[in-house]
Amino acid sequence: MIILKTVFFITTFTSYLRNIQAFILHSPNSCFDRSIINTSRNALSSDLSMTKPKSGDIVCITYDLEPIGDFVPIPLFDDGKVSFVLDGGNYLPALHKVLPALSIGESIEIDDADAGWGERRDDLIVKVPIASSGIKKEDIKVGMGLYLANGMECIIKDIEEDTFTIDANPPLAGATYKAKITLDDVEEGPSEAKYLYNPKEVIDESKYEIMTIALGCFWGGELEYMRVPGVVGTAVGYTQGQKDNPTYKEVCSGTTGHTEAIQVIFDPDVVSYDRLVSIGLERLGESRNLLNQVENDRGTQYRHGVYYHNDKQKEVAEDVISPYGKRCVTECLETMKFYKAEDHHQQYLLKGGQNAKKNAKETIRCYG
């Protein structure tokens, strides 16, 4: 992918960056089994049936989707029974809107569920002067993908004598589904304390845990974890830095001290912290031995590390890292505040058409 240098039209997309919503679709394996709920909870079944989910809860639903119009769904996600974090940046945006109104066991049908890419917008189609683009005219081709200076992707749609036209709409913008959704269960999500560092494990109402890890460019690492059974939520962002609420541009400058990171919410009954850290170290490959670099991405913002939330996680992370020997420079530190990246970075590769099904094996492509 070519990085488009011109910045004069970037502000055209500011509202777009705020409005894109992300989604993750999860497999039946991540749903909790109602048959093993303990006796005391069974005694409260009538009360539970009235439970409505709130933001941050882990919801388990059964759903089916029917495409509307010419939209042909690409099988990039699991269907049937799935679980995810409500309002956690996951799944079809329409689900986050309707689920808070449902009690356990209730169903709803939606006739025009946004497939996750939003409406097609004319203001995201822009003519760019070739002279100010930083690209030679002979290198410009219709259908070529470009990354803007803010990390956003677009496609060249047309070329004229002195200009070319780019389209920053997602490929499936405007696509909708007809959906039938049943709320099967609701569980507490992790408390705020679990997102911070505490020497001892935080005991709260939720069994779900948090992992924070940096593996270079966060797009590919996030998709890797989205495919893992037991992972119910992911987010990409910035951590281990000094500036509050940094932007992508600021982090890329290398001046804030942050590294691009992935935060994972997971069910330890399905997947262990040990396994999740191991997946990250395996993904790094020989980049484990490179300081402030993963493959061709260089800079302190691409340093790799495991950022533990308690001392038990620290011990596990150190045990995973140590067999790689002294050449391995993956840092292992207390987690600092994690700032979510801009909306269009969340679940970026799924929105670009790569498979996020549980246990998917296709090669993850970070750039094109």
Side-chain angles (χ1 to χ4, degrees):
M1 282 289 198
I2 294 176
I3 304 295
L4 186 59
K5 302 300 183 183
T6 184
V7 297
F8 75 97
F9 60 88
I10 296 302
T11 54
T12 305
F13 302 106
T14 301
S15 62
Y16 178 67
L17 301 183
R18 291 195 298 267
N19 293 334
I20 293 179
Q21 299 188 61
F23 62 94
I24 311 171
L25 298 178
H26 298 284
S27 76
N29 293 332
S30 62
C31 287
F32 13 99
D33 186 350
R34 298 297 296 275
S35 65
I36 60 173
I37 298 174
N38 60 38
T39 303
S40 61
R41 185 168 178 184
N42 283 330
L44 298 174
S45 60
S46 59
D47 292 332
L48 285 172
S49 66
M50 300 302 293
T51 299
K52 296 181 186 294
K54 62 183 182 300
S55 181
D57 282 344
I58 314 299
V59 294
C60 182
I61 69 170
T62 300
Y63 82 105
D64 58 66
L65 299 174
E66 178 184 337
I68 297 174
D70 296 330
F71 170 52
V72 178
I74 303 171
L76 301 178
F77 40 75
D78 298 291
D79 56 9
K81 278 188 176 291
V82 296
S83 61
F84 58 94
V85 182
L86 186 62
D87 288 336
N90 313 317
Y91 229 101
L92 296 174
L95 294 180
H96 294 279
K97 296 178 181 178
V98 302
L99 284 172
L102 298 182
S103 296
I104 294 173
E106 289 186 332
S107 300
I108 191 171
E109 293 188 12
I110 307 173
D111 291 329
D112 57 351
D114 182 345
W117 291 273
E119 294 296 323
R120 189 162 186 81
R121 295 175 49 183
D122 291 338
D123 61 327
L124 298 181
I125 302 173
V126 180
K127 282 192 174 183
V128 181
I130 295 174
S132 62
S133 70
I135 307 175
K136 295 179 181 179
K137 185 173 182 178
E138 57 267 28
D139 293 333
I140 301 173
K141 308 293 182 185
V142 172
M144 176 186 293
L146 301 174
Y147 285 110
L148 306 182
N150 58 7
M152 192 172 175
E153 188 175 5
C154 62
I155 299 293
I156 296 175
K157 306 297 289 187
D158 186 44
I159 303 171
E160 298 180 359
E161 182 65 28
D162 299 317
T163 64
F164 60 93
T165 301
I166 62 170
D167 185 351
N169 280 288
L172 292 176
T176 56
Y177 286 108
K178 181 182 291 185
K180 182 177 181 180
I181 306 138
T182 300
L183 178 61
D184 297 323
D185 209 343
V186 179
E187 287 194 341
E188 288 279 345
S191 64
E192 288 297 321
K194 281 186 175 177
Y195 287 86
L196 307 174
Y197 168 72
N198 294 277
K200 295 183 178 180
E201 288 185 86
V202 173
I203 306 300
D204 59 15
E205 296 298 320
S206 176
K207 68 178 180 180
Y208 293 90
E209 299 290 342
I210 309 294
M211 179 187 75
T212 303
I213 193 167
L215 303 173
C217 175
F218 44 33
W219 294 340
E222 182 184 34
L223 183 57
E224 184 88 55
Y225 285 115
M226 288 167 68
R227 294 175 169 184
V228 178
V231 170
V232 296
T234 61
V236 297
Y238 319 114
T239 191
Q240 309 306 112
Q242 293 81 48
K243 187 180 187 300
D244 291 340
N245 298 305
T247 65
Y248 178 77
K249 184 177 180 180
E250 289 171 334
V251 172
C252 285
S253 73
T255 60
T256 70
H258 293 87
T259 185
E260 292 192 11
I262 307 143
Q263 200 159 76
V264 176
I265 302 175
F266 66 99
D267 180 351
D269 291 340
V270 179
V271 62
S272 67
Y273 181 76
D274 178 289
R275 179 60 190 143
L276 292 173
V277 175
S278 296
I279 288 170
L281 270 290
E282 290 164 9
R283 178 172 176 78
L284 282 172
E286 291 303 311
S287 293
R288 293 184 296 264
N289 304 325
L290 301 177
L291 185 63
N292 298 328
Q293 180 180 347
V294 175
E295 295 185 351
N296 294 322
D297 292 324
R298 296 177 173 84
T300 56
Q301 71 272 26
Y302 294 118
R303 71 186 184 274
H304 39 97
V306 181
Y307 307 112
Y308 49 85
H309 292 255
N310 54 60
D311 287 349
K312 182 177 179 181
Q313 284 193 353
K314 175 185 178 181
E315 292 177 8
V316 172
E318 289 176 341
D319 286 345
V320 174
I321 294 170
S322 61
Y324 292 105
K326 294 182 178 180
R327 291 183 61 208
C328 177
V329 293
T330 302
E331 59 186 16
C332 185
L333 301 170
E334 292 179 12
T335 193
M336 295 173 63
K337 187 171 178 60
F338 178 91
Y339 297 95
K340 283 189 176 181
E342 296 82 346
D343 284 347
H344 77 282
H345 286 296
Q346 306 299 331
Q347 294 85 51
Y348 184 89
L349 297 184
L350 169 59
K351 291 185 289 185
Q354 295 190 48
N355 193 350
K357 283 186 175 183
K358 297 302 182 184
N359 294 314
K361 302 300 182 184
E362 293 90 335
T363 299
I364 294 173
R365 307 179 311 279
C366 284
Y367 300 98

